[in-house]
Amino acid sequence: MAEKVLIIKYGEIAMRGNNRYLFINRLISAIRRNIDPFGKYYVVRDPGRLIVEDRGGELDYDLLIPKLKTIFGLAAICPGVRLEDMSFESICEESLLHMQEFCGDKEMTFKVDTRRANKGFPMPSMEVSMEVGAYILEWMPNLKVDVKNPDVTLHIEIRNSVYLHSKIIRTYGGLPYASNGRAVSLLSGGIDSPVATWMMAKRGVEVEGVYFHSPPYTSEWAKEKVIDLAKRIADFTGEFRLYVVPFTELQLYLLDNVAHDKLTIHLKRAMMRAGEMIAKQDDALALITGESVGQVASQTMQGIHAINAACTLPVLRPLAGMDKQEIINRAEEIGTFEISARPYEDCCTVFVAKHPVTKPRLNFIEKAEHRLTELDRLLDEAVKNAEVIEL
């Protein structure tokens, strides 16, 4: 008799050394967080695998797989079965049932791939694959063997139990969320910054967001768009803290007191300083931005250098080497593009100069800011008055 299970593969975590168990523990915690509300499940550890079993009844693939696909650290999810009887006869019979259910009477090609992690099993992997394949062919004449490019591969994993599966659902990989420190992301309503935030969360970084709100120049609809983006990121991370920083007064102050062609550079430097203030109060170790080198005037190498100099924390730019289409493709993949495409401006697009400087000189920028006697006070007030939204 076979029991439905989900076989979870966890990719690069397997390459970790003595601290591998810490990553696996975080992964199991994330799995439990996502599926425990829906039933009585058990997560079995097996070398290189985690097995999800339903101790309360028959496991529902359609219910659980979507809950697991958003978990960072998973490389693949394989809906399969576990055999209670490890005899070769049982393997043949259940393999045939599995292929009959999967293929029916369609004319298809297949192969059998066996992994024998349990060396106590009497038959070598190659022999199991050949014998099981021959048994299936005897009963399913609609199938043909193709070992190079088959339509279906039946995977047999002989461990402490025997597992069969023929479908591999690729997931996002990465590292378990919050296994790699905390960072604060400068989150606008555009396409880039949500993707950058997601990419760092995929690398195990616990992320928080800072959004700069400038009413009446940015609307409540723009704010709601950013909140919806944060909610989408929380679908992957489980939770997300968003700071909404009031920036109107500071932005108008810069508009009146700096050269218009350098306004964007000064504004982004102020944002970096505000983000760093929040990061330090939350014990975060870095800032995250969605900048891509050369994409807009402020993202030239000279512009990035001038903006970076405003803060002391490391600035992570996961999109730095990506072009716009690559970023859009990723945004569509993770479900943020349609939200970002809503036609509401963020504060970075307000009062933009017609011909912004592309090669700002840091010494000139810093000299101009030394004359901004109200800048520190306005920054302190903006951060102090930030609205905190827990998602």
Side-chain angles (χ1 to χ4, degrees):
M1 184 176 177
E3 172 196 3
K4 280 187 173 182
V5 297
L6 287 172
I7 303 160
I8 294 176
K9 302 179 181 181
Y10 47 77
E12 69 177 282
I13 294 174
M15 297 184 289
R16 300 283 160 169
N18 294 332
N19 63 350
R20 184 189 304 125
Y21 75 97
L22 297 173
F23 291 89
I24 294 174
N25 286 345
R26 283 190 177 273
L27 200 54
I28 292 173
S29 295
I31 291 170
R32 291 194 180 282
R33 182 192 67 220
N34 281 23
I35 68 175
D36 278 355
F38 304 97
K40 186 179 180 182
Y41 305 103
Y42 190 71
V43 182
V44 180
R45 298 171 186 250
D46 211 323
R49 302 284 188 273
L50 295 172
I51 314 296
V52 177
E53 302 176 355
D54 191 339
R55 295 296 172 88
E58 186 175 70
L59 191 143
D60 186 341
Y61 295 147
D62 293 335
L63 173 65
L64 293 190
I65 290 174
K67 307 298 180 185
L68 297 173
K69 285 176 68 175
T70 58
I71 297 175
F72 293 127
L74 305 188
I77 303 168
C78 306
V81 296
R82 180 176 69 86
L83 310 190
E84 294 184 1
D85 182 355
M86 292 184 61
S87 67
F88 179 69
E89 292 77 12
S90 176
I91 294 174
C92 287
E93 291 170 3
E94 292 295 341
S95 295
L96 176 61
L97 289 174
H98 184 87
M99 293 297 286
Q100 286 174 335
E101 181 178 353
F102 194 90
C103 302
D105 58 0
K106 298 176 183 176
E107 292 190 358
M108 303 178 73
T109 59
F110 84 106
K111 77 171 184 178
V112 180
D113 179 64
T114 303
R115 300 292 177 90
R116 186 177 63 120
N118 182 351
K119 301 306 179 184
F121 191 80
M123 297 174 64
S125 300
M126 185 65 72
E127 185 178 350
V128 172
S129 295
M130 293 173 60
E131 294 296 334
V132 170
Y135 185 84
I136 292 170
L137 281 174
E138 182 181 352
W139 290 93
M140 298 184 70
N142 55 302
L143 300 185
K144 294 182 179 180
V145 173
D146 183 346
V147 296
K148 292 186 177 180
N149 189 30
D151 298 320
V152 182
T153 299
L154 172 64
H155 297 274
I156 302 174
E157 298 189 11
I158 303 174
R159 298 173 174 272
N160 294 328
S161 297
V162 175
Y163 300 95
L164 308 178
H165 66 90
S166 54
K167 185 176 183 180
I168 300 177
I169 300 168
R170 299 295 177 187
T171 52
Y172 294 108
L175 296 172
Y177 183 64
S179 63
N180 225 356
R182 180 182 299 161
V184 168
S185 180
L186 276 60
L187 188 64
S188 73
I191 296 169
D192 301 344
S193 61
V195 174
T197 306
W198 182 91
M199 289 180 68
M200 295 315 305
K202 179 188 170 196
R203 297 309 304 161
V205 176
E206 183 180 359
V207 290
E208 299 178 344
V210 176
Y211 167 61
F212 298 97
H213 192 43
S214 298
Y217 305 102
T218 54
S219 67
E220 285 300 308
W221 291 108
K223 176 181 172 181
E224 287 301 316
K225 178 170 76 166
V226 174
I227 292 173
D228 287 345
L229 288 167
K231 287 178 180 177
R232 179 54 186 158
I233 294 168
D235 288 339
F236 295 91
T237 62
E239 57 187 5
F240 193 86
R241 177 182 295 165
L242 177 65
Y243 290 87
V244 180
V245 178
F247 232 49
T248 307
E249 189 176 357
L250 188 147
Q251 195 164 1
L252 291 174
Y253 176 73
L254 291 176
L255 179 65
D256 291 338
N257 291 278
V258 300
H260 196 53
D261 65 337
K262 300 179 181 66
L263 175 61
T264 300
I265 298 295
H266 287 288
L267 178 62
K268 290 196 171 184
R269 281 172 57 88
M271 290 177 173
M272 298 293 274
R273 290 180 60 187
E276 183 172 62
M277 292 164 69
I278 291 171
K280 288 182 176 179
Q281 76 183 23
D282 286 357
D283 296 322
L285 302 176
L287 300 178
I288 301 167
T289 76
E291 290 161 318
S292 171
V293 174
Q295 187 178 137
V296 296
S298 64
Q299 295 176 17
T300 61
M301 289 299 292
Q302 294 88 342
I304 289 172
H305 172 64
I307 293 166
N308 251 31
C311 60
T312 58
L313 286 178
V315 181
L316 307 176
R317 293 180 170 89
L319 310 186
M322 297 173 68
D323 63 36
K324 195 65 176 184
Q325 190 58 54
E326 290 174 307
I327 298 168
I328 289 172
N329 292 345
R330 180 55 62 88
E332 291 175 333
E333 177 188 2
I334 66 176
T336 60
F337 179 77
E338 287 189 4
I339 304 172
S340 295
R342 296 175 193 170
Y344 309 118
E345 293 185 327
D346 60 59
C347 70
C348 286
T349 60
V350 179
F351 311 129
V352 173
K354 186 175 181 179
H355 299 291
V357 63
T358 58
K359 296 181 179 180
R361 294 178 60 177
L362 178 59
N363 60 329
F364 290 171
I365 297 294
E366 290 179 335
K367 187 175 181 179
E369 286 185 3
H370 287 156
R371 297 192 293 268
L372 302 178
T373 56
E374 294 295 300
L375 182 59
D376 289 346
R377 178 185 65 80
L378 292 172
L379 276 169
D380 289 338
E381 288 184 0
V383 171
K384 181 180 178 180
N385 293 322
E387 176 187 2
V388 182
I389 302 174
E390 301 284 354
L391 301 167

